[in-house]
Amino acid sequence: GELGTMQNDLSMTSRRHVFGMKADVKDNVHYVDDQTVAYPVGKTFVIYNQATNTQKFMMGQERADGLSAMAITPNKKYIAVATCGESPSIEIFDTTTRKRRKSLNLQELGSREFVCLSFSSDCRHLVTQGGAPEWNLVFWTWDRLKSLAMLSTAPDRAGSKTEKGYITCVTSNPSDPYHICVSGNGVFRFYRFADGQLKPAPGGMGKREPQNILCHRWLKDSDRIIASTDTGDLLLIENCEFKCILPLSPSDGLSIDILCHRWLKDSDRIIASTDTGDLLLIENCEFKCILPLSPSDGLSIDVITVWSRGFICGGDMGLISIYEQSDEKELFRKVKTVKIDPKKDTDVVTDGDPIIKSLSLNQSEDHLAISTCNGLGSSFGQLYVLNIAPDSNKPEAMQPEYLLAPFHAGPITGIDTCIRKPLVATCGKDHTIRIWNYVEHTLEIVKTFPVEAISIAMHPSGLHILVGFADKLKFMNLYGDDMKEFKSFNMRAVPECKFSHGGQYFAVVHGQVIQLYSTYTCEQIAPLRGPTGKIRCLCWLPPDDTRLLSAGHDGAVYDWNVKEGRKEGDHVMKAVQYTSVASNGSHPSGLLWAVGNDRKLREMEMGSLSIVNEWEVGDFPLLSLTYAPNHKLLLAGAEDGSIKVISTPVQNGMHQAETTIAHSAPISKICMTFDESILFSVGDDGCLWMFDIKEKDGRGPSKREVTYAEEILISKADLEEKNTCITDLKQKVDELKIEMDYLARKRDIKHEEKIKEMQDQFKEDSEKQWAKFEALLSLKQEQELAFTEIRKETAEKHRKEIAKLESDYQSKIQSAEDLKTKLGKNLAEQKVSYEEQVRSADTLLEKTRKEMHENFQESLNIEKEACEALRNNERDLVKEHREIRTQLEKDTDDEIEEIKERYEKRLGTERDHFLQLKGENGIMRKKFTTLQKEIADKNEEITQLMDALQMLAHKISKIELDIDNLKGEIKDRDETIGDKEKRIYELKKKNQELEKFKFVLDFKIRELKSQIEPRQDEIASAKQKIKEMDRDLERYHQNNLALYATIEELKKKIEVQQREIHKLANKLKDAETYKNRVRTDLSELVQKIQEPKQLSNAVAGLYRKHVKKTVSKAPQVDEGLHTEYTRQKEFLSRTVDSLKKKSIKDNDGRKGDANRIMSENVALIKEINDLRKDIRAMRASSTEKGNTKTALGTLLHTTQTEQTLRELDMQRSEIERLRQRVAEAEAAIEQCRPGSRDLPGISASPEDETSL
């Protein structure tokens, strides 16, 4: 593990992320902890963290063909992965350190693969089942790399050793690690490891017929086994014995295949599934029953997993059923059934419903990981996660979600990336196009199309893609969550398309021609012709995109000049079919590399395209190339699914190439980001791999900050829709604001009313107090008046009592004043206390609210601290338990070694002592030999008699058992015979009903035949008329051909006349030229008229120049002749022009008439075809239509035939009219044609004109 980590650190590529999975691996998904899931991809397996969206990769053997099975220990600490190939092995990894712990190999396995694995409950033993042809079951102590025992599980019957799905499931008893259950197609057996051997153990299906058990599991806390069948039944095996067959299970005697089985936790029970959808329960190693709640719908149950409350099973149609234990007769009750529908969230095209391949529960048993495949034996699948927590029983809660993202459901045929966005686009044979984000490791867009996408290219801006479909090429725009077509080109099955580095051009391979287009106008620039075979690869050369490389199946590599649209150079090797080409630039001293089907890598010069070097690439050819100029690395994808990294300049060929294992199928395409930091590869296994590219010394590249564009395209309709949505939301916000204001005003009004009520109450109380005070004042005044009157009236009588009365009066006044002041104080205190009560009520309300919030926070913090303490305590206890367990294991191993040594020493001493006793015993033995002989003789007689008695007793018991078995078989046969007789009786009833139905159908058929005969007569007459119309059409066609011949003759005559006119014009032109030349010479001669000598010499020279021979003097040409010649010439030219115009006009008219006639003929043929369709429809519906409708149909047909005949007559008259017009045109042409005689003076020679 450390060596592999070191090599990975020094490698030039490291695995970054992958989208996809390998679905044909047994038990291919496992929860490592609550957030981490392990599953296979290609030739590796991935540990994926859901919380951080990161992956870690673990490799098996490099030379292995792939993975075949997986298993995880019950404590989730170790994962076992089985590899297949010439030397299959089992790699065991530590899930904590992510390092390889052990590697198990067995040369005597007799197979190329392990079909299933299972750890024991103590995590120390491993049970493995080999595949065909030997089907060996191996029991391992894996931590010591030791195989304890091996046994073949194949029966002694022909053909079973080569059957692929013979054994499908192997498990170990949770309560007994040495007890093993094996199930499969007609197999359900138990084995036990004892005395260093695997021995068959009692139990099984008893006398039940062989079944195809798809899966079985041991139930928790019991000795029962649940098994599922291929018919959808769930069988119960209890205490390893057959218990019963419940009425709801199918009992039709058909054989059923056992696909899977599972032991229930802490029990001796097994749950097994079959390919018919049965779930079987096995208890104490014997079949107990088919569970009553088994689907038994003929849909296979392929996988079962157990949990603390029961078990969960899944299979065909993407159905997952959850069962819980019950105390009723049914033993289990179905809680929920969930269906996985890949078309619900994404419009993905799939070949039917998915099949559940594996299930895994996390440690808290609240989430279920699910893996599916697209069909039986398919390696393409999806990963889901399902929330099964008790509080998620709502229908909307228990819906499966994708674990990562929806993967491709078929081989990926194309890939490309862009510059301004972290996006990569892929297309595949599943009719989908997917846009991935390689920074966030998410799927941005997925869209399904009705036809397959063959190639794809992405614009550097990341806003457009170019997709080559099977029917046409489409230029598409990428929106936020969708892609829409912008323009389409009529090019079928484009194998390769490519945008230039700048994005201004794109190149498309169409047959044997490369078409160049402008990206922004979609107009064709130039076609590049030259290749004679299919073009397989295109490569734009940096930095200015003026050069383009192409390679194809014709063994040719071409260098094209894009601006001039011509070929700069080529290299042809007809024996090679090139698949890919790459280059380090367009400079003449640059290099390019090409690979093909001959398993060679060729290096060529860019200037001359001559081969510099070539190297063998090994057993598997390279299929795709790309070059990283900054790192000087050549990267290639091979047919075995590996990535090859070659440093340039290449010195030792493929010996210096670094190999990274990834895909499990051939790589179809690779590409790289513009900064050369990430490499992408896709293949026929449907996986998209991402690799980080490092420096040559293994260090990561100097990462520069890349700012990606965030803008997206949006259509006008979407923008308007979003704007309307925004306006609607704004209106809703305004309405909510108005509503909130209304509620606030309502609360304010309520508070104001309450305050007003309190003020009114306060006023009433104050008024009452003032009224009381005024009453006291009035009482005081009345008392004063009364006392003054009494004093005046009785002054004299009561003088003695004045002092006493005054003192009493003063005391009363004082008491009244005290009472007044006291009442005033009380009033003020009540007012103040009332106001304080109002304030204190508000403060108390706020204080209680704060206190309640603080108390709640304190209690919440206390609960959190308690939970955290419990969690810490739990972690400490788990850690302490693990340490104690490891220490105990070490101590027990040490004690075992010590005891082993001590007993070996003791055994040596005992052996010495035994040798001494053996010598003494020899002496004694001689003494007793005589006695032993006598005793032996007598014992032999006794044993012979006892053997005879035992043989008789054994024969009697065997015969009694045979009698009981025969009675049971007779009883079973009677029951089956009764069932078959009932079935035969029902079939006879159905047969009688079918005979009655047959008689009715025969009667209806005879009626239909009687109604069809008149229709056939009408059809025959219509066919005769159609034949006559065809003859007329043929005659019209011949007439049209004759007209075309006449027109051609007229055209030829016009051409002859035009040539004659052209000759006359040339003669006139020559004469005019000669005349101008003579005039020039005469003008020069006139200048020398003053000098006679020079004049005579010039005249002699002029004579010698123009007069070549002596001629007689020609008569003088009349001037009127020239005028007549000019007039005739103008007349002929006008005549020719008018004839040309008239001919063109007549030709246009004839073409229009011919087109009109042809369109009318096409309409007539269409009507004839419609009539034939109507005849066929009348034949089909003749049984249901009455005589009235038949008469109407005949009348309609007659009217249509008459109308057709009238149109034919009109066509004949039109053709006659056209013939007359052609004859008139020919007569006019003959009249206007000039004579063939020459005009006088026209044929004069230049010498004659000179003599003039």
Side-chain angles (χ1 to χ4, degrees):
E2 294 177 358
L3 180 61
T5 305
M6 188 183 300
Q7 290 175 352
N8 191 24
D9 293 338
L10 296 176
S11 63
M12 289 178 282
T13 58
S14 62
R15 300 173 184 86
R16 175 188 179 97
H17 205 84
V18 62
F19 290 101
M21 72 166 298
K22 186 173 174 59
D24 55 356
V25 177
K26 179 70 174 177
D27 297 331
N28 53 20
V29 64
H30 295 281
Y31 261 110
V32 178
D33 54 39
D34 286 345
Q35 295 294 332
T36 308
V37 181
Y39 60 92
V41 180
K43 294 184 180 180
T44 66
F45 77 94
V46 177
I47 296 182
Y48 171 69
N49 191 307
Q50 296 176 258
T52 60
N53 194 20
T54 57
Q55 294 176 340
K56 294 189 177 180
F57 303 91
M58 298 186 188
M59 283 293 301
Q61 289 186 351
E62 291 187 0
R63 296 183 179 180
D65 294 341
L67 308 180
S68 59
M70 291 178 64
I72 192 168
T73 56
N75 59 5
K76 309 291 185 181
K77 190 174 181 181
Y78 300 102
I79 285 182
V81 180
T83 62
C84 56
E86 291 295 332
S87 58
S89 65
I90 300 171
E91 310 296 328
I92 299 177
F93 297 87
D94 192 327
T95 59
T96 305
T97 61
R98 308 291 196 265
K99 294 181 180 180
R100 184 187 285 109
R101 181 73 180 271
K102 301 289 181 183
S103 180
L104 307 178
N105 292 281
L106 187 64
Q107 298 297 329
E108 300 83 7
L109 181 65
S111 174
R112 291 177 55 85
E113 64 176 350
F114 292 94
V115 295
C116 46
L117 313 174
S118 177
F119 280 100
S120 61
S121 57
D122 58 1
C123 304
R124 299 181 62 184
H125 298 92
L126 177 66
V127 183
T128 64
Q129 175 64 58
E134 296 296 332
W135 297 101
N136 284 322
L137 178 69
V138 187
F139 190 70
W140 303 78
T141 301
W142 65 267
D143 55 350
R144 297 184 181 178
L145 301 176
K146 186 177 180 182
S147 61
L148 300 179
M150 183 172 69
L151 178 70
S152 177
T153 56
D156 298 332
R157 60 189 178 114
S160 63
K161 295 188 178 182
T162 59
E163 188 177 351
K164 187 171 178 60
Y166 176 61
I167 301 295
T168 56
C169 190
V170 173
T171 58
S172 178
N173 192 335
S175 59
D176 185 1
Y178 300 103
H179 195 198
I180 301 166
C181 180
V182 178
S183 65
N185 189 355
V187 178
F188 195 85
R189 302 191 188 99
F190 292 91
Y191 297 91
R192 179 173 291 279
F193 176 74
D195 300 330
Q197 294 181 353
L198 278 173
K199 299 179 180 179
M205 291 295 176
K207 300 175 185 178
R208 187 173 174 81
E209 292 184 1
Q211 298 180 337
N212 186 2
I213 304 296
L214 304 184
C215 183
H216 72 263
R217 290 292 182 267
W218 295 80
L219 298 177
K220 287 187 176 182
D221 303 325
S222 67
D223 55 353
R224 294 177 175 177
I225 296 176
I226 293 291
S228 64
T229 69
D230 56 357
T231 56
D233 290 332
L234 295 172
L235 311 182
L236 178 65
I237 294 93
E238 189 170 1
N239 295 323
C240 301
E241 294 180 357
F242 170 73
K243 188 172 182 181
C244 65
I245 301 175
L246 298 182
L248 293 178
S249 300
S251 301
D252 50 6
L254 299 176
S255 65
I256 301 172
D257 294 340
I258 298 177
L259 299 185
C260 182
H261 69 272
R262 288 291 181 269
W263 297 75
L264 297 186
K265 293 189 177 181
D266 304 326
S267 69
D268 290 334
R269 293 180 175 181
I270 296 177
I271 294 287
S273 65
T274 70
D275 56 357
T276 54
D278 294 333
L279 287 175
L280 316 179
L281 179 62
I282 296 96
E283 193 166 350
N284 293 328
C285 302
E286 287 293 338
F287 172 69
K288 184 176 180 182
C289 64
I290 298 176
L291 294 182
L293 292 178
S294 296
S296 301
D297 50 7
L299 300 176
S300 64
I301 299 175
D302 296 80
V303 62
I304 303 173
T305 188
V306 296
W307 61 331
S308 57
R309 288 180 284 173
F311 64 93
I312 304 170
C313 61
D316 276 353
M317 304 292 291
L319 295 175
I320 299 173
S321 300
I322 302 174
Y323 292 86
E324 290 185 356
Q325 291 184 354
S326 174
D327 297 332
E328 301 175 357
K329 290 182 179 180
E330 288 80 7
L331 302 175
F332 297 93
R333 63 184 181 90
K334 185 185 290 187
V335 178
K336 182 74 176 177
T337 298
V338 180
K339 180 177 176 61
I340 292 180
D341 187 5
K343 301 177 184 178
K344 183 177 181 181
D345 298 328
T346 58
D347 188 17
V348 177
V349 176
T350 57
D351 298 332
D353 293 305
I355 299 174
I356 307 298
K357 293 296 292 182
S358 183
L359 301 172
S360 178
L361 281 165
N362 61 353
Q363 293 179 347
S364 55
E365 294 188 344
D366 57 354
H367 285 85
L368 179 70
I370 307 161
S371 73
T372 65
C373 70
N374 297 341
L376 190 62
S378 173
S379 62
F380 307 105
Q382 303 290 341
L383 289 172
Y384 300 89
V385 62
L386 178 64
N387 186 4
I388 59 171
D391 56 350
S392 64
N393 287 329
K394 296 180 180 179
E396 61 273 8
M398 293 189 69
Q399 293 297 328
E401 299 176 353
Y402 286 102
L403 183 66
L404 282 83
F407 307 139
H408 275 283
I412 302 176
T413 57
I415 184 172
D416 199 8
T417 184
C418 61
I419 296 176
R420 299 194 66 237
K421 289 189 176 185
L423 302 178
V424 59
T426 59
C427 65
K429 292 186 178 180
D430 57 351
H431 296 197
T432 63
I433 296 176
R434 299 167 192 261
I435 308 298
W436 312 84
N437 190 316
Y438 58 80
V439 173
E440 299 177 359
H441 301 158
T442 56
L443 177 63
E444 297 283 336
I445 305 172
V446 57
K447 189 166 184 179
T448 306
F449 295 87
V451 293
E452 175 187 341
I454 299 173
S455 59
I456 191 169
M458 198 171 194
H459 194 266
S461 65
L463 300 176
H464 318 286
I465 59 173
L466 191 68
V467 186
F469 290 97
D471 58 347
K472 61 179 66 176
L473 177 73
K474 293 184 179 180
F475 189 93
M476 308 181 78
N477 292 331
L478 295 181
Y479 298 99
D481 55 354
D482 194 9
M483 57 185 77
K484 295 181 180 179
E485 178 184 342
F486 174 72
K487 187 176 179 59
S488 63
F489 304 87
N490 290 324
M491 287 186 266
R492 295 177 177 269
V494 173
E496 182 75 0
C497 54
K498 203 83 170 178
F499 279 102
S500 61
H501 295 95
Q504 71 273 28
Y505 307 124
F506 64 85
V508 179
V509 175
H510 185 209
Q512 300 175 0
V513 181
I514 302 173
Q515 303 285 355
L516 294 178
Y517 290 88
S518 173
T519 301
Y520 304 108
T521 61
C522 292
E523 293 180 354
Q524 184 176 358
I525 299 173
L528 305 179
R529 305 178 187 273
T532 59
K534 292 183 179 179
I535 301 171
R536 187 69 178 81
C537 177
L538 297 176
C539 178
W540 289 91
L541 296 181
D544 53 359
D545 294 329
T546 58
R547 303 282 285 279
L548 177 68
L549 291 177
S550 68
H553 287 177
D554 57 352
V557 177
Y558 291 95
D559 181 12
W560 302 94
N561 189 320
V562 175
K563 287 187 175 179
E564 300 178 4
R566 62 182 176 85
K567 180 174 63 177
E568 292 287 344
D570 61 356
H571 169 78
V572 180
M573 293 184 68
K574 293 185 178 180
V576 182
Q577 293 183 0
Y578 286 113
T579 57
S580 184
V581 65
S583 175
N584 60 1
S586 60
H587 194 270
S589 62
L591 297 174
L592 69 87
W593 297 270
V595 292
N597 62 346
D598 60 345
R599 300 178 184 176
K600 288 184 180 181
L601 172 64
R602 290 180 174 83
E603 186 177 75
M604 307 179 191
E605 286 187 353
M606 276 300 303
S608 61
L609 290 184
S610 60
I611 295 177
V612 179
N613 288 306
E614 63 178 28
W615 302 275
E616 295 286 340
V617 298
D619 297 333
F620 301 98
L622 304 181
L623 301 178
S624 183
L625 293 177
T626 187
Y627 182 73
N630 294 332
H631 298 286
K632 295 183 178 179
L633 295 176
L634 180 65
L635 301 107
E639 193 178 38
D640 62 344
S642 62
I643 299 293
K644 310 286 184 181
V645 183
I646 308 165
S647 300
T648 57
V650 184
Q651 297 175 355
N652 298 324
M654 297 305 294
H655 297 289
Q656 70 182 39
E658 175 192 310
T659 302
T660 302
I661 302 298
H663 295 268
S664 61
I667 294 177
S668 56
K669 293 284 184 181
I670 64 172
C671 68
M672 185 172 50
T673 56
F674 76 101
D675 59 353
E676 302 177 9
S677 61
I678 301 175
L679 174 70
F680 306 99
S681 69
V682 294
D684 293 345
D685 57 353
C687 297
L688 167 62
W689 278 89
M690 304 179 187
F691 303 89
D692 288 324
I693 302 175
K694 301 181 180 180
E695 296 288 349
K696 291 185 180 181
D697 56 357
R699 294 178 300 176
S702 57
K703 292 187 177 180
R704 54 178 178 177
E705 293 185 0
V706 180
T707 302
Y708 293 108
E710 296 182 355
E711 67 269 12
I712 62 171
L713 292 178
I714 184 169
S715 63
K716 187 176 181 181
D718 293 339
L719 182 62
E720 291 176 353
E721 184 180 353
K722 290 183 183 296
N723 289 333
T724 54
C725 183
I726 290 169
T727 54
D728 294 339
L729 292 174
K730 284 183 178 179
Q731 289 178 0
K732 289 182 180 179
V733 169
D734 295 336
E735 291 174 359
L736 289 173
K737 283 183 179 179
I738 294 169
E739 187 176 357
M740 295 297 291
D741 294 339
Y742 171 72
L743 293 175
R745 287 197 300 272
K746 193 174 181 181
R747 284 195 297 271
D748 293 340
I749 291 168
K750 190 175 181 180
H751 291 159
E752 289 176 358
E753 289 177 354
K754 195 171 183 181
I755 291 168
K756 189 175 181 180
E757 289 178 359
M758 294 173 71
Q759 287 177 353
D760 294 339
Q761 185 70 26
F762 176 74
K763 285 180 180 179
E764 288 179 1
D765 294 340
S766 62
E767 286 176 357
K768 287 180 181 178
Q769 295 294 332
W770 279 108
K772 194 173 181 181
F773 179 71
E774 288 175 355
L776 290 172
L777 282 175
S778 62
L779 180 62
K780 174 190 171 185
Q781 291 174 0
E782 288 176 357
Q783 286 178 358
E784 286 177 352
L785 292 172
F787 280 121
T788 54
E789 289 175 357
I790 291 170
R791 187 182 62 181
K792 288 178 181 180
E793 290 177 355
T794 59
E796 294 177 356
K797 295 180 180 178
H798 300 91
R799 286 178 183 175
K800 295 179 181 180
E801 297 178 355
I802 288 174
K804 188 177 180 180
L805 290 171
E806 286 181 355
S807 61
D808 294 335
Y809 184 71
Q810 288 297 328
S811 62
K812 287 181 179 179
I813 290 171
Q814 187 65 34
S815 62
E817 288 180 354
D818 292 339
L819 182 62
K820 175 187 172 184
T821 55
K822 187 176 180 181
L823 289 173
K825 287 180 180 180
N826 290 334
L827 180 63
E829 288 176 357
Q830 287 180 1
K831 185 176 180 180
V832 172
S833 65
Y834 185 75
E835 292 177 353
E836 287 179 355
Q837 285 177 4
V838 172
R839 288 194 297 271
S840 63
D842 293 336
T843 55
L844 182 63
L845 180 63
E846 187 67 25
K847 187 176 180 182
T848 53
R849 188 180 297 165
K850 288 181 180 179
E851 288 177 355
M852 288 174 69
H853 183 68
E854 290 174 357
N855 292 331
F856 177 73
Q857 288 294 119
E858 289 178 359
S859 61
L860 183 62
N861 293 329
I862 291 167
E863 291 294 330
K864 285 183 178 179
E865 290 175 358
C867 290
E868 188 65 28
L870 289 172
R871 287 185 182 135
N872 294 329
N873 190 13
E874 182 184 2
R875 284 195 292 270
D876 295 337
L877 289 173
V878 170
K879 188 176 180 181
E880 185 178 357
H881 172 68
R882 289 177 179 172
E883 292 177 355
I884 292 169
R885 182 171 180 177
T886 54
Q887 190 64 34
L888 285 174
E889 288 178 354
K890 291 180 181 178
D891 294 340
T892 52
D893 292 337
D894 295 337
E895 288 178 3
I896 288 167
E897 294 295 332
E898 291 176 1
I899 292 168
K900 186 178 179 181
E901 292 176 358
R902 187 168 64 249
Y903 276 99
E904 284 178 354
K905 291 179 182 178
R906 186 173 175 183
L907 183 61
T909 56
E910 289 293 333
R911 281 176 179 169
D912 296 335
H913 184 62
F914 176 72
L915 291 173
Q916 293 177 0
L917 293 175
K918 189 175 181 182
E920 295 175 359
N921 191 23
I923 298 168
M924 296 298 293
R925 190 176 291 171
K926 291 179 181 179
K927 293 180 181 180
F928 290 105
T929 50
T930 55
L931 294 173
Q932 285 179 352
K933 287 180 181 179
E934 294 176 359
I935 293 167
D937 294 337
K938 292 182 180 180
N939 285 334
E940 285 179 1
E941 294 177 1
I942 293 167
T943 52
Q944 288 176 0
L945 294 172
M946 293 299 292
D947 290 338
L949 289 172
Q950 287 180 0
M951 287 174 66
L952 291 172
H954 182 68
K955 286 181 180 179
I956 292 166
S957 62
K958 190 174 181 181
I959 290 168
E960 289 177 352
L961 288 173
D962 291 338
I963 291 167
D964 294 335
N965 292 331
L966 290 170
K967 287 181 179 178
E969 288 181 2
I970 289 167
K971 188 176 179 181
D972 294 338
R973 296 281 176 86
D974 291 338
E975 291 178 356
T976 55
I977 288 166
D979 295 336
K980 298 293 183 182
E981 288 178 351
K982 290 180 181 178
R983 180 65 177 167
I984 289 166
Y985 180 71
E986 292 176 356
L987 290 173
K988 285 182 178 179
K989 282 187 176 180
K990 288 183 179 179
N991 194 11
Q992 291 176 358
E993 292 177 357
L994 290 172
E995 288 290 340
K996 294 177 182 178
F997 187 64
K998 181 182 177 184
F999 177 75
V1000 174
L1001 287 176
D1002 290 337
F1003 180 73
K1004 288 185 177 179
I1005 288 166
R1006 286 194 296 271
E1007 288 184 351
L1008 289 172
K1009 286 182 178 178
S1010 62
Q1011 293 178 4
I1012 287 169
E1013 289 176 357
R1015 301 288 183 188
Q1016 289 178 347
D1017 296 336
E1018 294 176 359
I1019 290 164
S1021 62
K1023 284 182 178 179
Q1024 187 64 30
K1025 291 180 181 179
I1026 289 165
K1027 287 180 181 179
E1028 294 177 357
M1029 294 168 71
D1030 289 337
R1031 286 194 294 271
D1032 294 337
L1033 288 173
E1034 184 66 26
R1035 191 169 60 256
Y1036 296 154
H1037 183 65
Q1038 292 176 357
N1039 293 333
N1040 289 333
L1041 292 176
L1043 290 174
Y1044 285 141
T1046 305
I1047 291 167
E1048 290 296 328
E1049 289 178 359
L1050 292 174
K1051 286 181 178 179
K1052 289 179 181 178
K1053 291 178 181 179
I1054 292 169
E1055 288 177 358
V1056 170
Q1057 292 202 5
Q1058 286 179 349
R1059 284 197 295 271
E1060 291 177 358
I1061 292 168
H1062 185 64
K1063 287 179 181 179
L1064 294 173
N1066 289 333
K1067 288 180 180 180
L1068 289 172
K1069 188 175 180 181
D1070 293 339
E1072 188 68 27
T1073 303
Y1074 189 76
K1075 184 174 71 173
N1076 292 331
R1077 191 161 57 247
V1078 171
R1079 285 178 180 174
T1080 304
D1081 293 339
L1082 290 174
S1083 64
E1084 291 177 356
L1085 186 65
V1086 169
Q1087 294 176 1
K1088 299 176 183 180
I1089 198 168
Q1090 299 296 331
E1091 297 177 358
K1093 190 175 182 178
Q1094 291 182 358
L1095 180 62
S1096 64
N1097 292 332
V1099 169
L1102 186 63
Y1103 178 80
R1104 287 193 300 271
K1105 180 178 179 182
H1106 291 287
V1107 179
K1108 301 299 180 181
K1109 58 182 179 178
T1110 304
V1111 294
S1112 60
K1113 187 176 180 180
Q1116 189 175 2
V1117 180
D1118 189 12
E1119 187 177 355
L1121 189 63
H1122 287 284
T1123 305
E1124 182 65 18
Y1125 167 75
T1126 305
R1127 188 178 63 78
Q1128 289 290 338
K1129 181 180 177 182
E1130 290 175 355
F1131 172 76
L1132 288 173
S1133 63
R1134 286 196 300 271
T1135 304
V1136 169
D1137 292 335
S1138 63
L1139 287 173
K1140 283 183 180 179
K1141 291 178 182 179
K1142 191 173 182 181
S1143 178
I1144 292 169
K1145 187 175 180 182
D1146 292 337
N1147 287 334
D1148 292 336
R1150 291 189 189 94
K1151 286 182 181 178
D1153 294 335
N1155 291 330
R1156 183 174 57 79
I1157 291 168
M1158 289 298 292
S1159 61
E1160 289 174 353
N1161 291 338
V1162 170
L1164 288 172
I1165 291 168
K1166 188 175 180 181
E1167 288 180 1
I1168 290 166
N1169 291 330
D1170 293 335
L1171 289 172
R1172 289 173 179 171
K1173 289 181 181 178
D1174 293 336
I1175 289 166
R1176 286 195 293 271
M1178 289 166 62
R1179 287 179 181 175
S1181 60
S1182 60
T1183 56
E1184 298 177 359
K1185 291 184 179 180
N1187 294 327
T1188 306
K1189 290 186 178 181
T1190 304
L1192 289 173
T1194 305
L1195 182 60
L1196 180 61
H1197 177 69
T1198 305
T1199 55
Q1200 289 179 350
T1201 306
E1202 292 176 355
Q1203 185 178 359
T1204 305
L1205 293 173
R1206 284 197 299 272
E1207 290 180 356
L1208 287 173
D1209 294 335
M1210 292 172 65
Q1211 292 291 333
R1212 291 193 186 97
S1213 61
E1214 184 67 21
I1215 289 168
E1216 291 296 331
R1217 187 178 62 80
L1218 290 173
R1219 285 176 179 172
Q1220 292 177 2
R1221 287 184 61 185
V1222 169
E1224 292 174 358
E1226 288 178 351
I1229 290 168
E1230 289 294 332
Q1231 291 176 1
C1232 296
R1233 182 177 299 168
S1236 60
R1237 60 184 178 85
D1238 293 335
L1239 292 174
I1242 297 302
S1243 60
S1245 64
E1247 289 81 0
D1248 298 335
E1249 192 165 320
T1250 304
S1251 63
L1252 293 174

